[in-house]
Amino acid sequence: MIRQLQAGIYNWLPLGLAVLRNIEGIIREELDKMGCVELLMPTMQPAELWQESGRGDYGKETLIVTDRHDRQMIYGPTNEEVITDIARKHLFSYKQVPLTLYHIQWKFRDEIRPRFGVMRGREFLMKDAYSFTVDEESHLELYNQIFATYLRIFKRMGLKAIPFSADTGMIGGKLSHEFQVIAETGESQIYYADELETLVQQHDPDIDAIRRYYAMADEQHNPETCTVPADKLRSARGIEVGHIFFLGDKYSAPMGAVIQNEKGDKVPLQMGCHGIGVSRLVGAIIEAHHDDAGIVWPDAVAPFKVGLMNLRVGDEQCDSACEFFYKEAEKRGFTILYDDTDARGGQKFATMDLIGLPWQVVIGPRTAAEGKVEMKHRATGAKYELSIEDALARLAV
Amino acid sequence: MIRQLQAGIYNWLPLGLAVLRNIEGIIREELDKMGCVELLMPTMQPAELWQESGRGDYGKETLIVTDRHDRQMIYGPTNEEVITDIARKHLFSYKQVPLTLYHIQWKFRDEIRPRFGVMRGREFLMKDAYSFTVDEESHLELYNQIFATYLRIFKRMGLKAIPFSADTGMIGGKLSHEFQVIAETGESQIYYADELETLVQQHDPDIDAIRRYYAMADEQHNPETCTVPADKLRSARGIEVGHIFFLGDKYSAPMGAVIQNEKGDKVPLQMGCHGIGVSRLVGAIIEAHHDDAGIVWPDAVAPFKVGLMNLRVGDEQCDSACEFFYKEAEKRGFTILYDDTDARGGQKFATMDLIGLPWQVVIGPRTAAEGKVEMKHRATGAKYELSIEDALARLAV
């Protein structure tokens, strides 16, 4: 699925890549739906832009590269400078905003001790969005829209993501929330009001209400001052999967990204930045959805919908039943992984449980003779013996 | 569409990105159709692998980065080493091959003088495929399949690509062809038998026949020894967009990527590598398809199918006619760019010609009142005045 090439840097083999693409697809759909515009910035950034913005004093995690002309470049860990440079060249009038631009691109952070697999890799795929408005008030509205879109994105991936008011750290700015997925193996301890679990899963979440509920990371949580009664307070492990910031004019002012407001005055753009860890989500989803036998992919991100196992490869009836099922399922738009290897049944079952596709379809000599298949739903373990036609219909539910 | 960030490094704005994605899509479809398998390797490679393969003596074009632990990494210009490392960990038996793995990933070559825009950028998007077989004979068969797939890919993009027998250069190997797109502004001079232009556009191209025809780059062409009669010899400018190599065991032998053959012997994998310049193709297509007014995108790669121009924004009838057309066209699956800016008609026409979408649809007060639209086909200049319904039907042809 994924194989480490060197510390914190990974090869994405076909199954892992398929999950990554599904996650990208969900993020893209939800952002496009709210009117965001996709573009693509390069991985390599000119160091001069970082001098301009005032972030020229890079930490050790920033990968700095000197090219053959002795010019410094940075393998982008985020893109505030580049997008501000684009904004100052393209945005002139209040009529062009609110505008949210985003891209999905590889980033690099030279972590001293990469760990937790793809959850904290050095080269990682991130969606970073940058929002622009003419004033603070309209920016806070946009902030809440992005907040709601984030909740929808994580929900579609089968995740419970709890938002926390957060430090703005090295990114800077005025307001910030991070989103933590609840998973036993999460890297940080979190505390929150139990109502949040329900509120974040609502179709049209009330962001102002959500933001009023108690949610604290370990460092900030204080049992003495906590306003939530003990029986309503949840404590869990969390994995950070998203982070949104209202930046104000932190980048636009020093870089001269100004825009004309309705009165005709030139004012610095109000800016926000909003990240989702795309490759990290692959790890977070596995942490949130597995059992002792392996992964249990939520439907929306599973690399294939069906795993088809031929229990007697080479047997004419088994082979042709499998091929028939494969073609029919494909025709109806289902994605299928076909295990036609020589491995033994027990091994095939174990592998299929491990990679965790939503449905398993098994064809052996007996079922092939009867024109039937065995089906297993990975998440519930429920088993069915059905005709091929009924099995295909079952997949469509 | 595309904006330079620094020498040879570009931001892809929405229109440019859409073209890039369409090109990727065509490549992916054709490769998947021939059974290739997609994965994704990271941009950063460990330098040790290059020592192992014998390419440790990097040229100046290779971007070398030292991380915080003082380890050398390379921003991959190609991926022979990494894929050979994957192959030696996953391929053991002749039953697993022939296998062609590919990825579409950003690469870096620190060109001393980047030029021709995205045609010779330093950070560029490339599709690189790597093929593996157990012996030379089966590899040559696979080579021809990839050759044919390349011709289909370029043809679908509206390009005439001529294959040339080529030097193997720093990649190495035993056999190689490059594919040059014919365009007036091409960077190299090429000579070839005129039959080739027809042969490469056939649905099921005969690769062995094609390979026997005369095709030479400037350096190799010799009028004295050229076997093609003058009236059959074409001379043109070309842009290299693809390159395929049969490598033999150049990488697999030093890196110990061996496989068991049918006799049970362990032999080095026979290997090939096959590149297509994805971001470069954007430039090549523009060079091959433009006129004095701007770009003329071939349908298959156009960022949108239709450009819709509202000639009187704010006029109720114009606005509602445009919105109706937009929604109906979208419903039928056409992609549309809607120009609802305040710009004047002449400027809108000029911009729309410049960005070169296949169809232009114009709605002004007169046509809106009559329930009609004006349509222009960008490539031919043909104009139509049609009812909205007929216009939509015309788009579907």
Side-chain angles (χ1 to χ4, degrees):
Chain A
M1 179 141 347
I2 302 162
R3 184 179 263 274
Q4 179 160 305
L5 173 62
Q6 55 179 312
I9 303 182
Y10 294 85
N11 288 312
W12 293 81
L13 304 183
L15 286 183
L17 180 59
V19 176
L20 201 65
R21 293 287 182 246
N22 290 340
I23 292 173
E24 274 186 48
I26 290 173
I27 294 173
R28 190 172 278 129
E29 256 182 56
E30 292 295 332
L31 290 179
D32 291 353
K33 217 183 281 173
M34 77 162 268
C36 304
V37 174
E38 187 175 6
L39 43 68
L40 185 61
M41 293 171 270
T43 61
M44 282 296 173
Q45 305 179 6
E48 299 97 69
L49 285 182
W50 287 55
Q51 304 292 345
E52 253 194 88
S53 73
R55 286 208 297 181
D57 190 15
Y58 338 103
K60 283 239 168 214
E61 294 192 353
T62 307
L63 197 68
I64 299 166
V65 188
T66 306
D67 75 8
R68 66 193 293 173
H69 296 295
D70 263 333
R71 272 189 300 244
Q72 282 200 335
M73 299 186 293
I74 290 169
Y75 196 125
T78 58
N79 284 60
E80 284 77 10
E81 283 78 4
V82 177
I83 202 82
T84 306
D85 184 53
I86 291 175
R88 70 182 169 187
K89 288 170 179 158
H90 291 268
L91 300 182
F92 307 102
S93 156
Y94 68 92
K95 292 181 188 167
Q96 295 173 279
V97 296
L99 176 67
T100 302
L101 302 168
Y102 73 98
H103 77 156
I104 300 177
Q105 177 62 294
W106 293 89
K107 309 283 190 298
F108 205 98
R109 276 190 202 143
D110 201 2
E111 303 261 359
I112 191 156
R113 266 182 299 277
R115 60 215 157 112
F116 303 118
V118 292
M119 299 241 274
R120 185 157 289 218
R122 293 197 295 167
E123 185 170 332
F124 59 97
L125 189 61
M126 184 165 137
K127 183 285 297 175
D128 35 332
Y130 302 90
S131 49
F132 300 94
T133 63
V134 72
D135 57 30
E136 189 163 326
E137 198 189 338
S138 55
H139 212 107
L140 293 174
E141 254 176 59
L142 189 54
Y143 186 92
N144 275 4
Q145 281 177 38
I146 288 169
F147 198 122
T149 297
Y150 269 42
L151 293 180
R152 272 192 286 273
I153 287 171
F154 299 129
K155 187 185 167 195
R156 277 187 63 183
M157 294 174 190
L159 295 174
K160 240 178 222 173
I162 306 292
F164 290 76
S165 172
D167 275 350
T168 53
M170 77 162 282
I171 302 283
K174 299 178 159 190
L175 174 67
S176 160
H177 282 85
E178 64 181 58
F179 295 78
Q180 297 252 3
V181 162
I182 299 167
E184 266 174 46
T185 50
E187 47 185 352
S188 46
Q189 187 71 29
I190 53 179
Y191 299 87
Y192 57 91
D194 66 352
E195 288 97 331
L196 277 174
E197 288 195 13
T198 321
L199 288 173
V200 299
Q201 299 270 319
Q202 278 167 358
H203 178 64
D204 224 348
D206 177 347
I207 303 306
D208 285 323
I210 287 173
R211 284 174 56 182
R212 281 192 296 269
Y213 277 90
Y214 187 87
M216 290 285 174
D218 206 15
E219 318 82 84
Q220 302 145 336
H221 174 66
N222 182 344
E224 307 291 315
T225 58
C226 175
T227 52
V228 185
D231 64 324
K232 294 275 186 191
L233 185 70
R234 290 282 171 99
S235 140
R237 305 294 295 177
I239 300 168
E240 186 190 341
V241 291
H243 208 147
I244 62 178
F245 296 85
F246 170 48
L247 299 166
D249 63 3
K250 178 174 189 295
Y251 295 86
S252 54
M255 292 183 67
V258 295
I259 195 169
Q260 204 159 44
N261 66 16
E262 284 199 55
K263 291 182 218 146
D265 301 330
K266 286 195 171 164
V267 294
L269 279 158
Q270 294 292 311
M271 199 172 143
C273 70
H274 316 289
I276 292 182
V278 181
S279 47
R280 162 176 280 226
L281 270 168
V282 178
I285 294 171
I286 294 175
E287 292 305 330
H289 293 281
H290 68 274
D291 59 21
D292 289 343
I295 306 172
V296 186
W297 291 114
D299 278 50
V301 298
F304 295 90
K305 171 116 180 169
V306 187
L308 173 63
M309 288 172 267
N310 184 339
L311 290 192
R312 194 167 297 168
V313 176
D315 174 278
E316 207 178 311
Q317 225 169 8
C318 284
D319 289 357
S320 72
C322 281
E323 267 156 49
F324 179 75
F325 184 88
Y326 188 95
K327 276 189 195 150
E328 287 299 313
E330 206 178 32
K331 223 185 276 173
R332 292 166 209 219
F334 302 121
T335 51
I336 315 169
L337 181 71
Y338 180 21
D339 180 352
D340 62 350
T341 61
D342 296 336
R344 280 200 253 152
Q347 199 187 322
K348 289 193 181 196
F349 293 133
T351 303
M352 217 39 108
D353 275 351
L354 184 68
I355 62 176
L357 307 180
W359 285 99
Q360 299 174 6
V361 171
V362 186
I363 295 178
R366 182 184 60 80
T367 43
E370 294 173 10
K372 291 187 171 173
V373 304
E374 283 182 272
M375 271 179 99
K376 180 175 133 185
H377 187 239
R378 176 70 179 86
T380 58
K383 288 183 183 177
Y384 310 86
E385 192 167 305
L386 298 170
S387 70
I388 289 185
E389 205 40 59
D390 288 349
L392 289 165
R394 189 72 192 71
L395 288 178
V397 176
Chain B
M1 182 143 340
I2 300 162
R3 183 179 264 275
Q4 179 161 306
L5 174 62
Q6 55 178 311
I9 304 183
Y10 294 85
N11 288 313
W12 293 81
L13 303 184
L15 285 182
L17 180 60
V19 176
L20 201 66
R21 294 286 182 249
N22 290 340
I23 293 173
E24 275 185 46
I26 290 173
I27 294 172
R28 190 171 277 127
E29 255 181 56
E30 291 296 333
L31 290 179
D32 291 353
K33 218 185 281 173
M34 77 160 268
C36 304
V37 175
E38 187 175 7
L39 44 68
L40 185 60
M41 293 171 272
T43 62
M44 283 296 174
Q45 305 179 6
E48 299 97 69
L49 284 181
W50 287 55
Q51 304 292 348
E52 254 194 87
S53 73
R55 288 209 295 181
D57 190 14
Y58 340 103
K60 282 237 169 215
E61 293 192 354
T62 307
L63 197 68
I64 300 167
V65 189
T66 306
D67 75 8
R68 67 192 294 172
H69 295 295
D70 262 333
R71 272 188 301 244
Q72 282 201 335
M73 300 188 292
I74 291 169
Y75 196 127
T78 59
N79 284 58
E80 284 77 9
E81 283 78 5
V82 177
I83 202 82
T84 306
D85 184 54
I86 291 175
R88 70 183 169 184
K89 288 171 178 158
H90 291 270
L91 299 182
F92 306 101
S93 156
Y94 67 93
K95 291 181 189 169
Q96 295 173 279
V97 295
L99 176 67
T100 302
L101 301 169
Y102 75 97
H103 77 157
I104 300 177
Q105 177 62 294
W106 293 90
K107 309 282 191 296
F108 206 97
R109 274 188 204 146
D110 201 3
E111 303 262 358
I112 190 156
R113 266 181 301 278
R115 58 215 157 108
F116 302 118
V118 292
M119 299 242 274
R120 185 158 291 216
R122 294 197 293 167
E123 185 169 331
F124 58 97
L125 189 61
M126 184 166 138
K127 183 286 297 176
D128 35 331
Y130 301 89
S131 48
F132 299 94
T133 62
V134 71
D135 58 30
E136 189 163 328
E137 198 189 339
S138 54
H139 212 106
L140 294 174
E141 253 175 61
L142 188 53
Y143 186 91
N144 275 4
Q145 280 177 37
I146 288 169
F147 198 123
T149 296
Y150 268 42
L151 293 180
R152 271 191 287 272
I153 287 170
F154 298 129
K155 187 185 167 196
R156 277 186 64 183
M157 294 175 191
L159 296 173
K160 239 178 220 171
I162 306 290
F164 290 75
S165 171
D167 275 350
T168 52
M170 78 162 281
I171 302 284
K174 298 179 159 188
L175 175 67
S176 160
H177 282 85
E178 65 181 58
F179 295 78
Q180 298 251 4
V181 162
I182 300 168
E184 264 173 48
T185 50
E187 48 185 351
S188 46
Q189 187 70 29
I190 54 178
Y191 300 86
Y192 58 90
D194 66 353
E195 288 98 332
L196 276 175
E197 289 194 13
T198 322
L199 288 173
V200 298
Q201 299 270 318
Q202 278 168 356
H203 178 64
D204 223 349
D206 178 346
I207 303 305
D208 285 325
I210 286 173
R211 284 174 54 182
R212 281 191 296 269
Y213 277 90
Y214 187 87
M216 290 284 173
D218 206 15
E219 318 81 85
Q220 302 145 338
H221 173 66
N222 182 345
E224 308 290 317
T225 57
C226 174
T227 52
V228 184
D231 65 324
K232 295 275 186 192
L233 185 70
R234 291 280 172 100
S235 140
R237 304 294 296 177
I239 299 168
E240 186 191 341
V241 290
H243 208 148
I244 62 177
F245 297 85
F246 170 47
L247 299 166
D249 62 4
K250 179 174 188 298
Y251 294 85
S252 53
M255 291 183 68
V258 296
I259 195 170
Q260 205 160 43
N261 67 15
E262 284 200 54
K263 290 183 217 145
D265 301 330
K266 285 194 170 165
V267 295
L269 279 158
Q270 294 292 311
M271 198 170 144
C273 70
H274 317 288
I276 292 181
V278 181
S279 47
R280 163 175 280 227
L281 270 167
V282 177
I285 294 171
I286 293 174
E287 292 305 330
H289 293 281
H290 68 274
D291 59 21
D292 289 343
I295 305 172
V296 186
W297 291 115
D299 278 50
V301 298
F304 296 89
K305 172 116 180 169
V306 187
L308 173 63
M309 286 172 269
N310 184 340
L311 290 191
R312 195 167 294 167
V313 177
D315 175 277
E316 207 179 311
Q317 225 168 8
C318 284
D319 290 356
S320 72
C322 281
E323 267 155 49
F324 179 75
F325 184 88
Y326 189 96
K327 276 190 195 147
E328 287 300 312
E330 207 177 32
K331 222 186 274 176
R332 292 165 209 220
F334 303 121
T335 52
I336 315 167
L337 180 71
Y338 179 23
D339 181 350
D340 61 351
T341 62
D342 296 337
R344 279 200 255 152
Q347 199 188 320
K348 289 194 181 194
F349 294 133
T351 304
M352 216 43 107
D353 274 352
L354 183 68
I355 62 176
L357 308 180
W359 286 98
Q360 299 174 6
V361 171
V362 185
I363 295 179
R366 181 185 60 80
T367 43
E370 294 173 9
K372 290 187 170 169
V373 304
E374 283 183 271
M375 271 180 100
K376 181 176 132 184
H377 187 238
R378 175 69 179 87
T380 58
K383 289 183 184 177
Y384 310 87
E385 191 168 307
L386 299 170
S387 70
I388 289 186
E389 204 42 59
D390 288 348
L392 289 164
R394 188 73 191 72
L395 289 178
V397 175

